[in-house]
Amino acid sequence: MRALQLVSDRELILTDLPEPGAPEPGEVQVSIKALALNHIDVWGWRGMAFAKRKMPLVVGAEAVGEVTAIGEGVTRFRPGSKVAMYGALTCGQCRMCKSGRDNLCEEVAGVMGFHVDGFARDKLNIKERLCVPIPDGISWTDAATAPVTFSTVEHMLFDNAKLEPGETVLVHAAGSGIGTVAIRMAKEIGCTVITTAGDDEKCAKALALGADHAINYRTDRFEHEVRKITKKKGVDVVFEHVGAETWNGSLLSMRPGARLVTCGSTSGVSVNMNLMQLFQRQYRIIGSFGAPIRAIADGLKRMERGVLPVIDSEYPLENFGAGLERLETRRVFGKVVITF
C-alpha cells in the first residue's frame, strides 16, 4: 500500500509498505479517503517536533475513511461505515479518559503523524473507541476537517469560552482553518463577529463568510478598531491562536469579565502581561489544546446543520508537500485537504 513518510526535515517520500493484518479485537481497519493539513503537520515537517520520534515517520494528523474490516468485539461499526479518527493515542483507562476529557489523558502515547506513524497511508488499523461515525450526506473533503479543526474550535468556543448567543467575539486570523470555522460557528448561534486578517482580500473573504467586521491588522491597530466598533465596551470573547504578536492587543480588546481562549503561539511563545489589568478587569484566560473525542461528534452535527468548512485547495497524496508549502506561506484561506 502507499504511505507518505517523512525521512528527514522537509523531505517526504511516497513509498510502499505492507498492508496491515486483520484488525485485533476492539480494532477496525480503515481505508483512508481524505486528510486535512494543520500547522502541526508543518511543524513536524520542518523538524519542530516537541517530543522524541523515529524516522521514517508516516505523516498526517487529521483524517477520515471507510471501515473495511472489524475485529472481534466491535459493535459500533461495520464494513462500509464512514468514520472520523481521533489522532491522539490515549489510554482510554485513566480518570481523564473515563470522564470524557481525552485530551488530558495521563498516559497518551503520542499524536499520530507527529510523534508516531500517522494517517497518510492507504489503510491502517485503529481502536474502535478512537473512531466517530460520520453522518450521511457529509463529503469526505468536509468530514476530513472534523477530527482536529472542527473539534478544536468546538472545544475552544463552547466547552472553554462558553460562548453564548448574542455575544461579541474577536476571531484572529480569519483565513486560517480554525479561524474560518470559528467565524461560521459563532455566526450560527447569532454572535457578532469581529475578525482580523493580513490583507484586504482576506478581509473581504471573511466578510463574505459572515463576519460582521474585518480588520486588516497590517494597516490598522486591531485593538483600536475593536474599541471603536464596540463603542469602547470591548468584546465578550477573544479566539486567540496567533500568540505574541496579538496577545496584548487582545487583552486591550476585552470588556471587563471577558474570556480569552487560546490554542496557539505561531508568532511567538513568550509575552509580557500587565497583571493589574488582568485582575482589575477580571479577565478569564483559558488554555485549550486539542479536544475530547466527543467534540468531533459535536462538530459533525454542526456540519449536518450546514456549518461547513472553507476548503482552500485540494492536493492528491503525492503532492502532500505542495500542500504543506502552501500552508506554510500563509496564502491559504480555509483548509488544505489531501485526497486519496
Side-chain angles (χ1 to χ4, degrees):
M1 68 172 186
R2 297 177 305 164
L4 190 68
Q5 292 182 321
L6 183 70
V7 294
S8 63
D9 293 351
R10 293 181 180 268
E11 186 179 355
L12 293 163
I13 61 168
L14 188 62
T15 188
D16 288 323
L17 292 181
E19 289 200 8
E24 298 287 334
E27 289 185 338
V28 295
Q29 187 169 103
V30 179
S31 173
I32 302 298
K33 298 298 183 182
L35 297 164
L37 297 185
N38 297 275
H39 280 290
I40 194 171
D41 297 293
V42 175
W43 295 334
W45 173 61
R46 292 193 306 209
M48 295 174 67
F50 308 130
K52 292 181 180 179
R53 60 182 182 169
K54 294 182 179 179
M55 293 189 188
L57 177 79
V58 178
V59 295
E62 182 175 29
V64 291
E66 180 179 328
V67 173
T68 56
I70 62 173
E72 182 182 350
V74 170
T75 59
R76 295 169 53 230
F77 304 106
R78 63 182 188 276
S81 296
K82 296 173 63 176
V83 294
M85 291 163 289
Y86 192 65
L89 298 181
T90 55
C91 71
Q93 298 298 318
C94 70
R95 61 191 180 97
M96 291 301 182
C97 286
K98 287 184 175 180
S99 66
R101 293 182 286 176
D102 319 80
N103 55 321
L104 290 171
C105 175
E106 297 168 356
E107 299 292 339
V108 64
V111 174
M112 294 178 66
F114 190 66
H115 306 114
V116 296
D117 282 341
F119 295 108
R121 43 183 154 163
D122 285 325
K123 287 184 180 180
L124 82 163
N125 294 343
I126 189 169
K127 293 184 183 298
E128 176 190 24
R129 64 177 179 82
L130 298 178
C131 296
V132 175
I134 298 171
D136 292 338
I138 299 176
S139 71
W140 289 121
T141 298
D142 289 341
T145 69
V148 174
T149 311
F150 264 65
S151 68
T152 295
V153 178
E154 183 78 31
H155 189 51
M156 289 177 71
L157 286 183
F158 302 108
D159 295 346
N160 287 324
K162 308 295 184 186
L163 183 67
E164 297 180 358
E167 290 192 307
T168 300
V169 55
L170 171 62
V171 175
H172 282 299
S176 66
I178 61 172
T180 52
V181 171
I183 292 169
R184 284 192 159 166
M185 283 193 184
K187 290 305 299 180
E188 185 203 19
I189 67 165
C191 291
T192 297
V193 176
I194 305 170
T195 192
T196 65
D199 59 57
D200 290 340
E201 181 182 0
K202 286 186 178 180
C203 284
K205 289 181 177 179
L207 293 171
L209 194 58
D212 298 280
H213 307 275
I215 303 164
N216 184 338
Y217 64 80
R218 297 191 189 279
T219 58
D220 294 296
R221 292 281 295 274
F222 73 85
E223 61 269 36
H224 292 173
E225 296 303 309
V226 168
R227 301 297 292 182
K228 290 178 187 176
I229 292 166
T230 61
K231 297 180 171 56
K232 298 183 179 180
K233 292 180 180 179
V235 300
D236 299 288
V237 170
V238 176
F239 183 89
E240 170 66 72
H241 54 110
V242 176
E245 287 182 4
T246 54
W247 187 262
N248 285 305
S250 292
L251 295 179
L252 290 169
S253 300
M254 297 165 66
R255 67 160 181 81
R259 297 93 74 196
L260 181 152
V261 60
T262 180
C263 75
S265 55
T266 54
S267 68
V269 298
S270 299
V271 295
N272 290 316
M273 281 182 57
N274 183 330
L275 293 179
M276 289 185 67
Q277 178 192 32
L278 174 65
F279 65 73
Q280 285 182 346
R281 294 181 67 80
Q282 301 181 64
Y283 292 154
R284 281 171 281 173
I285 296 175
I286 308 151
S288 188
F289 183 76
I293 294 174
R294 185 263 314 149
I296 300 175
D298 290 346
L300 286 164
K301 288 176 184 175
R302 291 188 192 275
M303 287 191 195
E304 276 194 290
R305 298 199 298 266
V307 182
L308 298 178
V310 176
I311 305 301
D312 172 87
S313 50
E314 296 182 39
Y315 294 88
L317 180 62
E318 54 268 25
N319 287 345
F320 189 101
L324 289 174
E325 290 172 1
R326 181 167 176 80
L327 187 58
E328 184 181 38
T329 62
R330 296 188 178 184
R331 296 194 306 267
V332 299
F333 191 88
K335 292 291 294 183
V336 176
V337 174
I338 305 299
T339 56
F340 278 67

